[in-house]
Each structure stands twice: as structure tokens, then as C-alpha cells.
């Protein structure tokens, strides 16, 4: 028997034949994610318990086969893509909500629970889990934790890092770690929970999570401000974030986004619109009324074209319609798109948007900017035609300048999409040699044979 066959036979014995795929045709769909990259796993294993995962990790260590943890493959930076000889360890079948405990303000879930399913279950109890990526209906809590994924609500309620109390993780040496707490306070030991959140499957496979839950607000109100200048919108963001009524969403779209939307639907927005803010506020009805008035005052500017307030759910959906139409529109018009999700301090947003406009002109590229302005998190979309060699080269050069700009403004290279393979070779610019060396040491302690998602997040060559 060849070594590969021995490995597969042992895998079936440890995981159960019903939990293993080996036919290349069955395995292929598990080798890719939304980055567009594709690999072919040696096998796909469906995780069923921490003990089973531990056996698989030991086996993979013995055979020096890598493990790629996988939720639903909706990630955009290549974290779940198979590189080289690797099995995919899928959380698809570990999808139970184990407990919802309102009094203690937590729920316990397996990693394969879809974010949207968890929100529906919690809503029946009057609660929610704050992380709200727009892919909620088809991404898993495990993927959310591994990428620290979030959405508009992060501005008020935080990301998975602020909303995870504890984890069960099978680390790269095969040990099962139970870290964190089931209380809303706790200080004993190093905060391994926070270390695992955002570690992109490079340290271990999450088999369960204790998540902090929050009561749903009684009232929600949406405002939409249309401006005739970008400066007016970005200055309004800094004013709104500088006062005490924190919005539960503060979204921004620039002039290019407005133009592209109007080209598809001229009636969607007035012709003079150059920038849009969408602001959601939540709380008790009386508090929301007062906060809406105050925030509306901070949104004012001589370049404010129109300020709409939604009084009900239907009107709110109407105000959000331009924002929701944007991602499909960008996919429609651009054959090639480099989609960065950079973050700068909110006070530097005007400088970021101004700098991005200058880069678009210098590289003769169309750049569409939108995103979670309340966190300073902007999705910078470099639109180009990959069939045109000069445009592709311009996009690569422009990306380099975008990242330099972000770091020069005190920002960070990714707010929610993660590093994966796509940003791996850039992170040394942000972290520096000493921090990268410390990260390698931690990785070595927990995963001595480098079998957990190798080639992701950490650059191959420290230099
Ligand atoms: C249309 C669309 C909209 C999106 N909108 C948003 C958004 O608003 N905000 C946002 O942040 N992201 C967004 N994303 C990106 C993506 O949905 C998120 O990153 C999501 O958290 C990935 O979840 P997943 O289950 O698909 O994970 P995968 O893509 O399968 O995996 C993501 C990473 O997590 C690791 N991983 C998965 N499960 C485990 C586990 N159990 N243990 C350890 N590591 C694990 C993988 O190895 C990989 O590194 C969007 C994607 C799409 C396609």
C-alpha cells in the first residue's frame, strides 16, 4: 500500500467512512473560496466532535499532511483555499446551537452554525449576536471567528473579538483547549480566546464557541444624508463619531459609487449627489427620537443636499436600497476588481478619501470607495480589465500605493476580510519584524509541525 493510501485508510478509520470524501470530483468544491483561487484537497473530512478532530490532527501530524479548516468558503482572502498536500476539515456537520442562556447573557454553538440561523434563533429570545457580515445567510460562526468578520453594527457593538467569551479549540499538536469563560467578566490567565479569534485557522480548529449575546433594541431609526461634496460627508462622519450618540451603523459611499448606481438607475439618487451617509440609531423609542434629532444636526453641512429619516421598516429599506444595490453593481461592471478593506482612524477618513482620489487620477483607474465609515473601515475597489495588461499593471502599482497611504495615516490593512493568501506578503509592512517573529513563536508552540493552514496569514519568508 502506498503512503497516501495508508493515510486515507487511517483517516476513514478515525473519522468514520460517512464523514470522509476522497473522490476528486467530490473534493474539488471544497478546495476554493470567494477569492477565486482553487486547490484540490487530498480528502475532505466532516468534523463531528472535538475528540474526532483531535484524532485527525494527530494522524495528519504523523503523515505531515496539512489541514485547511473550512466553514462555507465565503471568505474573500484565500484562507480556506487548499495549497499543496492538505485535507479540508469542514465544520458543515457541526451546526448545532447548544445552549441559549439569557440570564448569563451567552449562547454556546458549534462552529458550523450559520450566522443568519443563530440570529433568527436568538431573536426569538429577544437577543442577537452583534457580528453581522452581509454574507450572514451563508457564512458560519467558525468562519466569522477565524476572520474576526463583522458588518455595519460593529461601530456600536463590536466585532467577534469583543463578543466571544470562550472557545473550544483543537490546536495543531492535537490537544483540546477549553479557553475563556462563561461569565461576562473574567481575568484568569492569558486571553487565548482573543488570540484564536482572527487567527484564520492557523493555530487550531474551533469546535465550539461561547458567545456574548445582547438584547435587541426596542426601536431603530435610519437616516440618509446626500451631499454634493465628499468633504462634507467625511467631515460629518468625524462630527457624528465625536459626539455621544453612537450609531449602530454609519455607512459611506463616494462619488464613483453614486455615478455607477445612477448609470444603472438614474432615478435612484438626485444628479448632484456626490456622497452618501446612511446612519442607523437604536435604543428605547424616546432615546432614539432624541438621538435622531441630535445626529441630524451633526450631519448638517452647507453641501447637504437632502436628509431623509425613515419612520418604519419599509422606509428604512428604501433608504438602504442604494447601499444594497452597490456590490452587485460593482460585480456587474468590472471584469476585474481588487477589493481592499482598509481601516484608518475615523479622524483621518477625509485624508484617506482625498488620497484615494489622487491615486485614481495618478494611475488612471476607477476606484469606488464605500463601507463602514463609523469604524473608518472602507472597501476600496480598484476596477480594471484583467485582459488589458497595462490596466492590470496599473492596478497592482495602485494597490501598493493604497496600502502605503493607509499605513501612513495610522491605519491597518484589513478590517474584516482577513489576510489569507491575498495580503500575506504585505503584513510585514504593518507589523514589523519583531511582532512577526513573536507570532511565529506562538504558532510554533501551538502547531509545532506547521500543519494548521500553512501558507496563510504568516509570510513564508520572515525577511
Ligand atoms: C457576498 C459576500 C459578502 C460578504 N460580506 C462580508 C461582510 O459584510 N463582512 C465581513 O467581515 N465579511 C464578509 N464577507 C466575507 C465572508 O463571508 C466572511 O469572511 C465569513 O466570516 C467567512 O465565513 P465562512 O464560514 O464562509 O468561512 P470560510 O471562508 O470557510 O473560512 C474563513 C477562514 O476561517 C477559517 N475557519 C473556518 N472555520 C474554522 C474553524 N472551525 N476553526 C478554525 N478556523 C476556521 C478558514 O480556514 C479560513 O481561514 C462576505 C463574503 C461574500 C461572498
Amino acid at each position: 500500500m502506498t503512503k497516501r493510501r495508508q493515510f486515507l485508510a487511517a483517516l476513514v478509520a478515525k473519522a468514520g467512512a460517512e464523514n470522509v470524501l476522497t473522490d476528486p470530483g467530490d473534493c474539488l468544491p471544497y478546495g476554493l473560496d470567494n477569492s477565486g483561487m482553487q486547490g484540490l484537497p487530498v480528502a475532505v473530512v466532516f468534523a463531528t466532535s472535538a475528540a474526532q478532530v483531535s484524532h485527525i490532527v494527530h494522524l495528519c501530524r504523523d503523515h505531515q499532511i496539512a489541514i485547511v479548516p473550512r466553514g462555507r468558503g465565503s471568505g474573500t482572502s484565500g484562507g480556506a483555499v487548499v495549497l499543496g498536500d492538505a485535507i479540508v476539515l469542514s465544520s458543515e456537520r457541526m451546526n448545532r446551537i447548544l445552549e441559549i442562556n439569557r440570564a448569563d447573557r451567552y449562547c454556546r454553538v458549534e462552529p458550523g452554525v450559520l450566522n443568519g440561523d443563530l440570529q433568527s434563533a436568538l431573536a426569538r429570545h429577544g437577543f442577537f449576536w452583534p457580528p453581522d457580515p452581509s454574507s450572514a445567510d451563508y457564512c458560519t460562526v467558525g468562519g466569522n471567528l477565524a476572520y474576526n468578520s463583522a458588518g455595519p453594527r460593529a461601530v456600536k457593538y463590536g466585532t467577534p473579538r469583543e463578543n466571544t467569551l470562550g472557545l473550544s479549540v483543537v490546536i495543531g499538536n492535537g490537544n483540546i483547549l477549553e479557553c475563556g469563560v462563561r461569565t461576562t467578566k473574567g481575568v484568569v490567565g492569558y486571553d487565548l480566546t482573543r488570540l484564536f479569534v482572527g487567527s484564520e485557522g492557523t493555530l487550531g480548529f474551533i469546535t465550539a464557541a461561547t458567545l456574548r449575546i445582547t438584547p435587541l433594541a426596542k426601536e431603530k431609526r435610519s437616516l440618509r444624508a446626500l451631499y454634493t461634496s465628499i468633504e462634507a460627508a467625511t467631515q460629518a462622519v468625524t462630527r457624528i463619531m465625536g459626539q455621544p450618540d453612537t450609531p449602530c451603523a454609519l455607512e459611506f459611499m463616494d462619488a464613483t459609487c453614486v455615478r455607477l448606481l445612477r448609470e444603472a438607475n438614474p432615478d435612484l439618487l438626485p444628479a448632484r449627489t456626490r456622497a452618501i451617509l446612511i446612519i442607523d440609531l437604536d435604543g428605547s423609542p424616546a432615546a432614539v427620537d432624541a438621538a435622531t434629532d441630535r445626529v441630524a444636526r451633526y450631519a448638517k453641512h452647507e453641501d447637504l443636499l437632502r436628509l431623509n429619516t425613515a419612520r418604519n421598516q419599509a422606509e428604512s429599506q428604501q433608504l438602504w436600497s442604494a447601499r444594497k444595490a452597490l456590490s452587485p453593481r460593482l460585480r456587474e461592471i468590472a471584469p476585474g476588481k481588487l477589493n481592499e478593506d482598509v481601516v484608518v482612524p475615523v479622524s483621518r477618513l477625509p485624508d484617506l478619501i482625498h488620497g484615494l482620489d489622487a491615486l485614481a487620477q495618478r494611475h488612471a483607474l476607477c476606484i469606488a470607495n464605500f463601507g463602514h465609515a463609523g469604524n473608518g473601515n472602507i472597501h476600496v475597489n480598484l476596477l480594471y480589465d484583467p485582459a488589458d495588461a497595462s490596466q492590470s499593471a496599473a492596478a497592482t502599482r495602485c494597490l501598493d500605493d493604497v496600502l502605503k497611504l493607509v499605513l501612513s495615516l495610522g491605519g491597518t490593512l484589513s478590517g474584516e476580510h482577513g489576510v489569507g493568501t491575498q495580503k500575506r506578503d504585505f503584513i510585514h509592512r504593518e507589523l514589523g519584524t519583531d511582532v512577526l517573529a513573536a507570532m511565529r513563536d506562538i504558532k510554533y508552540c501551538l502547531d509545532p509541525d506547521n500543519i494548521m493552514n500553512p501558507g496563510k496569514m504568516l509570510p513564508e519568508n520572515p525577511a
Side-chain angles (χ1 to χ4, degrees), residues 28-39 70 72-73 80-82:
L28 195 64
Y30 288 86
L32 76 161
D33 72 2
N34 198 47
S35 66
M37 294 172 66
Q38 170 83 63
R70 182 182 178 87
R72 290 300 176 98
V81 172
V82 168

Side-chain angles (χ1 to χ4, degrees), residues 6 11 18 31 53 178 197 202 241 275 286 350-352 361 389 414 422 428 436 450:
Q6 274 174 7
L11 198 60
E18 69 285 9
V53 170
E178 299 287 343
V197 176
T202 61
M241 290 309 293
D351 301 317
L352 176 70
Q361 282 178 26
S414 175
Q422 307 283 298
H428 67 278
L436 270 179
N450 192 27

Side-chain angles (χ1 to χ4, degrees), residues 32-34 67-76 78-81 89 91 111-112 114 132-136 138-152 169 199-202 204-207 323 327 331 341 372 379 415-418 420 452-453 456:
L32 76 161
D33 72 2
N34 198 47
I67 296 175
V68 180
R70 182 182 178 87
R72 290 300 176 98
S74 70
T76 56
V81 172
L89 190 52
S91 66
L114 297 182
D132 59 338
S134 51
S135 50
Y138 46 87
C139 67
T140 65
V141 169
N144 299 164
L145 294 169
Y147 263 165
N148 198 32
S149 304
V169 185
S199 64
E200 304 192 4
T202 61
F205 186 88
I206 298 164
T207 54
R323 173 70 175 81
S327 292
R331 273 197 292 278
D341 76 315
H372 317 303
H379 296 298
E416 51 184 31
H417 291 169
M452 292 308 305
N453 223 0
K456 313 295 168 60

Side-chain angles (χ1 to χ4, degrees), residues 212-326:
R212 179 198 288 270
I213 58 174
T214 302
L216 282 164
K218 292 232 168 349
E219 182 74 33
K220 191 160 162 191
R221 193 74 44 81
S222 298
L223 298 166
R224 188 182 71 180
L226 307 183
Y227 297 93
T228 56
S229 74
I230 291 282
E231 290 71 26
T234 52
Q235 287 166 15
V237 171
T238 55
R239 280 198 306 276
I240 292 168
M241 290 309 293
Q243 53 84 52
D245 298 300
T246 308
C248 63
L250 176 43
E251 300 287 298
F252 163 82
M253 279 180 274
D254 78 351
T256 306
C257 296
V258 172
R259 177 173 59 77
L260 296 172
L261 286 169
R262 290 197 75 256
E263 277 170 12
N265 179 0
D267 297 333
L268 195 61
L269 297 160
R272 290 174 59 220
T273 312
R274 293 290 173 275
I276 306 176
L277 293 184
I278 301 172
I279 310 153
D280 280 356
L281 293 152
D282 67 358
S284 70
V288 169
D289 280 343
T292 304
D293 290 344
R294 282 190 293 267
V295 167
R297 281 204 295 279
Y298 285 103
K300 293 232 164 78
H301 188 281
E302 59 187 15
D303 290 346
L304 178 69
L305 187 62
R306 192 180 288 176
L307 183 69
N308 301 102
T309 308
R311 283 162 307 202
N312 54 43
Q313 178 83 8
E315 287 182 6
S316 169
Q317 277 172 1
Q318 174 64 24
L319 294 190
W320 273 85
S321 58
R323 173 70 175 81
K324 301 274 178 203
L326 192 57

